[in-house]
Amino acid sequence: MTKPASILPVSSADVDAAARVLAPFAVRTPLLSSPALDRRVGSRVFLKPEMLQRTGSFKFRGAFNKLSSIPEADRGGGVVAFSSGNHAQGVAAAAQILNMQATIVMPADAPLSKRERTKAYGAEVVLYDRDREDREAIARDIAAKRGATLVPPYDDPLVIAGQGTVGREIAEDMAALGVSPDIVVAPASGGGLVAGVATAIKARFSKAMVMSAEPEAFDDHARSLRAGKRENHRAEGRTICDALMASIPGEITFAINSRLLAGGVVASDAEVGTAVGFAFRELKLVAEPGGAVGLAALLAGHIVTDNKNVVVVLSGGNTDAEMFTRLISSS
Amino acid sequence: MTKPASILPVSSADVDAAARVLAPFAVRTPLLSSPALDRRVGSRVFLKPEMLQRTGSFKFRGAFNKLSSIPEADRGGGVVAFSSGNHAQGVAAAAQILNMQATIVMPADAPLSKRERTKAYGAEVVLYDRDREDREAIARDIAAKRGATLVPPYDDPLVIAGQGTVGREIAEDMAALGVSPDIVVAPASGGGLVAGVATAIKARFSKAMVMSAEPEAFDDHARSLRAGKRENHRAEGRTICDALMASIPGEITFAINSRLLAGGVVASDAEVGTAVGFAFRELKLVAEPGGAVGLAALLAGHIVTDNKNVVVVLSGGNTDAEMFTRLISSS
């Protein structure tokens, strides 16, 4: 780091403030260990299972922190968000708690379970064609017409600070165990989660290496971190990680990640499938593909971990029975 | 209670001692909460997810406590156990840690995953026909020939004390939250888990109602608790809860359970399937059928919980992909 972290868009004090806002509503997820996993990778591994979070992913944290910041006078117009699924549920659940109307713009090919669950939180769902339509334009149009507040999925300091509470809890629990994390890996799409996690982890454990994990076909963080500037992912790829399909890191998230991250790792869809199967068989956790990409990189040997203390964020578990069945049966 | 608990075969001090023995080896499983579950049942529910325990079920606790008590001089003969699967893995894993040879007598129709995993811990597996052969006789025969120590699945004070650490951790975590458990439900086959849990819970929260949960077709605890004496289950039943097929409560476990339990609840296989599906979709946990029977009774409305603090032990997650797929697809 050439400049102090205090000049970054999000500080650890912002994460502390988010933790206070979230305390009565978010699940404080545990830090888990698995002797089977430790034996398999030859390191001490700690898992942060955000599938156990309200709505089944970490996204509730950032969404709730953001919505809580909206002044009472502006809440009548409701909120609008675009999301492939987990942010949708996070915003919908946060809006329900805060008695606000939520409208979610979702791709028509998002997993059915994510669409249904978003509606179950009382949100209105507007579908769009991922290949032909601009979801941001649709969302902005709705925001303008209804006077709704747009809730960005990642490129927002309050959203990032909310996701940072994942890292804050990891840091607290590791400190309580008397163990320093050497490596912390978190999935990245727009980069909000890993930016928040890095902010909180580096504040307490300055030597920890924080890394983003992505699907091979959506490797924009890995590429951007190597290049030192925001770059698109390699090609028009497809991946089973429906939660991790952002094509380029966020501006605000990358301002943080380019300063705090040690690099990015990737995993193939096959490796992700293996990780989802491993989580089923050995960890007894339901991970969605995108939520397991860090574990996938670890199991595939893409992270050099020998005798290190490794923390892996499992970011979500919202997957259809059909997809889950396919992955646990074939892996 | 007509007599003080101190005359029972297992005391809370025995559970404390087991906790010290287990501390370096067992996973201290968290106490989880789920806003979706609370909303569904209209109570505050706490889950003790023992599928996150080493070997995927609580059985490691009792097995390790028992094996640790075997004098060094007697360890050379190894251990032998009969089990439908989870006790098998618990004994095998405990023996592996303690460098003892384990032989496990398993029914030929036990889930493949349980057999394979038992072998993976280095144990020798001997199969028997559940309908035609006497597993206890086979195990005793092996014990006599090899000088091995027989490790009973439940009817043993050290095994019960080990399982009791589940209740001890629940009590600790509830106390830390400042919440008193009103109802605690744990699955019962031979009754070792619920006996240990009751011992630990009642020592700290004397007013808590501890209850056994069983499959409808193997309701021997519910019947025995009503009758005040050990009774067989209703009929030659079948159940998807392969872990809960003991036909009568243990003698030692019933001496405890008849004194400490408030009663027993049952759930049908269909209700168990619904619970496994709920755990997949809403809790993101992999529960095996037997592990979910308490949750099944709760979701089916068989436990009166209005505004009470309810703790449900999810006792294991060792299920084949095939069975799991069937349950999450149909529920």
Side-chain angles (χ1 to χ4, degrees):
Chain A
M1 285 190 286
T2 52
K3 296 180 186 177
S6 59
I7 65 135
L8 294 176
V10 178
S11 69
S12 67
D14 296 329
V15 178
D16 293 343
R20 285 190 293 275
V21 169
L22 284 168
F25 302 101
V27 173
R28 194 191 185 293
T29 57
L31 196 64
L32 302 176
S33 60
S34 158
L37 179 57
D38 289 358
R39 200 167 51 239
R40 164 84 177 254
V41 300
S43 299
R44 200 164 166 199
V45 183
F46 301 87
L47 299 165
K48 183 67 169 173
E50 280 295 298
M51 62 277 281
L52 305 181
Q53 184 53 260
R54 193 187 275 264
T55 73
S57 93
F58 72 97
K59 286 283 190 179
F60 174 78
R61 299 176 183 258
F64 190 85
N65 194 45
K66 177 69 177 178
L67 265 62
S68 297
S69 77
I70 299 172
E72 285 290 343
D74 298 339
R75 291 189 182 186
V79 291
V80 59
F82 47 89
S83 163
S84 63
N86 283 335
H87 180 56
Q89 290 180 65
V91 170
Q96 189 175 52
I97 292 170
L98 296 168
N99 287 313
M100 297 171 71
Q101 178 58 38
T103 307
I104 313 289
V105 182
M106 296 183 80
D109 63 348
L112 182 63
S113 65
K114 291 184 177 177
R115 279 174 13 217
E116 291 302 318
R117 293 170 64 93
T118 302
K119 286 184 195 168
Y121 290 114
E124 181 188 346
V125 172
V126 175
L127 298 177
Y128 76 96
D129 183 325
R130 196 195 285 273
D131 295 324
R132 295 206 185 86
E133 295 181 275
D134 179 355
R135 63 182 188 173
E136 295 199 36
I138 296 170
R140 279 199 207 94
D141 189 48
I142 292 169
K145 275 186 192 147
R146 302 187 186 176
T149 305
L150 185 68
V151 186
Y154 47 83
D155 226 11
D156 180 285
L158 285 161
V159 170
I160 295 167
Q163 322 303 32
T165 59
V166 171
R168 189 176 185 274
E169 291 170 8
I170 292 169
E172 277 180 356
D173 289 357
M174 293 293 280
L177 290 169
V179 181
S180 294
D182 298 308
I183 299 173
V184 180
V185 184
S189 185
L193 172 63
V194 73
V197 166
T199 301
I201 293 287
K202 300 289 278 189
R204 189 141 185 182
F205 298 102
S206 61
K207 289 180 185 163
M209 287 172 55
V210 183
M211 308 183 84
S212 60
E214 294 169 296
E216 218 169 53
F218 285 78
D219 62 342
D220 44 292
H221 275 85
R223 294 165 66 87
S224 299
L225 290 166
R226 275 197 304 272
K229 61 187 172 61
R230 293 165 67 228
E231 291 202 350
N232 275 284
H233 63 88
R234 195 166 319 211
E236 275 309 316
R238 291 272 165 189
T239 176
I240 56 172
C241 301
D242 60 274
L244 304 182
M245 292 174 71
S247 58
I248 188 165
E251 287 183 38
I252 300 172
T253 60
F254 194 68
I256 297 168
N257 289 330
S258 60
R259 206 67 65 74
L260 299 185
L261 298 202
V265 294
V266 300
S268 69
D269 274 10
E271 289 163 351
V272 167
T274 298
V276 171
F278 183 90
F280 165 73
R281 281 191 308 278
E282 300 291 342
L283 309 176
K284 313 301 179 189
L285 293 171
V286 176
E288 64 180 279
V293 71
L295 178 64
L298 179 68
L299 291 174
H302 301 327
I303 303 170
V304 180
T305 60
D306 33 290
N307 290 314
K308 292 200 165 67
N309 299 316
V310 185
V311 181
V312 177
V313 179
L314 301 168
S315 53
N318 291 316
T319 181
D320 287 343
E322 194 185 345
M323 166 66 87
F324 194 70
T325 292
R326 187 159 70 79
L327 296 179
I328 66 173
S329 305
S330 63
S331 63
Chain B
M1 283 191 287
T2 52
K3 295 181 187 178
S6 60
I7 65 134
L8 293 176
V10 178
S11 69
S12 67
D14 296 329
V15 179
D16 294 343
R20 286 191 292 275
V21 169
L22 283 169
F25 301 101
V27 173
R28 194 191 186 293
T29 56
L31 195 64
L32 302 176
S33 60
S34 157
L37 180 56
D38 289 357
R39 202 166 49 238
R40 165 83 176 253
V41 300
S43 299
R44 199 164 167 197
V45 184
F46 301 87
L47 299 164
K48 182 66 169 172
E50 279 296 297
M51 62 277 280
L52 305 181
Q53 184 53 261
R54 193 188 274 266
T55 73
S57 93
F58 72 97
K59 286 283 192 180
F60 173 77
R61 298 175 184 259
F64 190 85
N65 193 45
K66 177 70 177 176
L67 266 63
S68 296
S69 76
I70 299 172
E72 285 291 343
D74 298 338
R75 291 190 182 186
V79 291
V80 60
F82 47 89
S83 162
S84 63
N86 283 334
H87 180 55
Q89 290 180 63
V91 171
Q96 190 176 51
I97 291 171
L98 296 168
N99 287 313
M100 296 171 73
Q101 178 58 39
T103 307
I104 314 289
V105 182
M106 296 181 79
D109 62 348
L112 181 63
S113 65
K114 290 183 176 176
R115 277 170 20 213
E116 291 302 317
R117 293 170 64 93
T118 302
K119 286 184 196 167
Y121 289 114
E124 181 188 345
V125 172
V126 176
L127 298 178
Y128 77 98
D129 183 323
R130 196 195 285 273
D131 295 323
R132 295 206 187 84
E133 295 182 276
D134 179 356
R135 63 182 188 174
E136 296 199 36
I138 297 171
R140 279 200 207 93
D141 189 50
I142 291 169
K145 276 186 191 148
R146 302 188 186 174
T149 305
L150 185 68
V151 186
Y154 48 83
D155 226 11
D156 181 284
L158 285 161
V159 171
I160 295 168
Q163 322 304 30
T165 59
V166 171
R168 188 176 186 273
E169 292 171 8
I170 292 170
E172 278 181 354
D173 289 357
M174 293 293 281
L177 290 169
V179 181
S180 295
D182 297 308
I183 300 173
V184 180
V185 184
S189 184
L193 172 63
V194 73
V197 165
T199 301
I201 293 286
K202 300 289 279 188
R204 190 142 184 180
F205 298 100
S206 60
K207 290 181 187 164
M209 288 172 56
V210 183
M211 308 183 85
S212 61
E214 294 170 297
E216 218 169 53
F218 286 79
D219 62 342
D220 44 292
H221 275 84
R223 293 165 67 87
S224 300
L225 290 167
R226 275 196 303 271
K229 61 187 174 59
R230 293 166 66 229
E231 292 202 350
N232 276 284
H233 62 88
R234 194 165 321 210
E236 276 308 316
R238 291 272 164 189
T239 175
I240 57 172
C241 301
D242 60 274
L244 304 182
M245 292 172 73
S247 57
I248 187 165
E251 287 182 39
I252 300 172
T253 60
F254 194 69
I256 297 168
N257 289 329
S258 60
R259 207 66 65 76
L260 300 185
L261 299 202
V265 294
V266 300
S268 69
D269 274 11
E271 289 163 350
V272 167
T274 298
V276 171
F278 183 89
F280 165 72
R281 280 191 308 276
E282 300 291 342
L283 309 176
K284 313 301 178 188
L285 293 170
V286 177
E288 64 181 281
V293 71
L295 178 63
L298 179 68
L299 291 174
H302 301 327
I303 303 169
V304 179
T305 59
D306 33 291
N307 289 315
K308 291 200 165 68
N309 300 315
V310 185
V311 181
V312 177
V313 179
L314 301 168
S315 53
N318 291 318
T319 181
D320 287 343
E322 195 183 344
M323 167 66 87
F324 194 71
T325 292
R326 187 159 70 79
L327 296 179
I328 66 172
S329 304
S330 62
S331 63

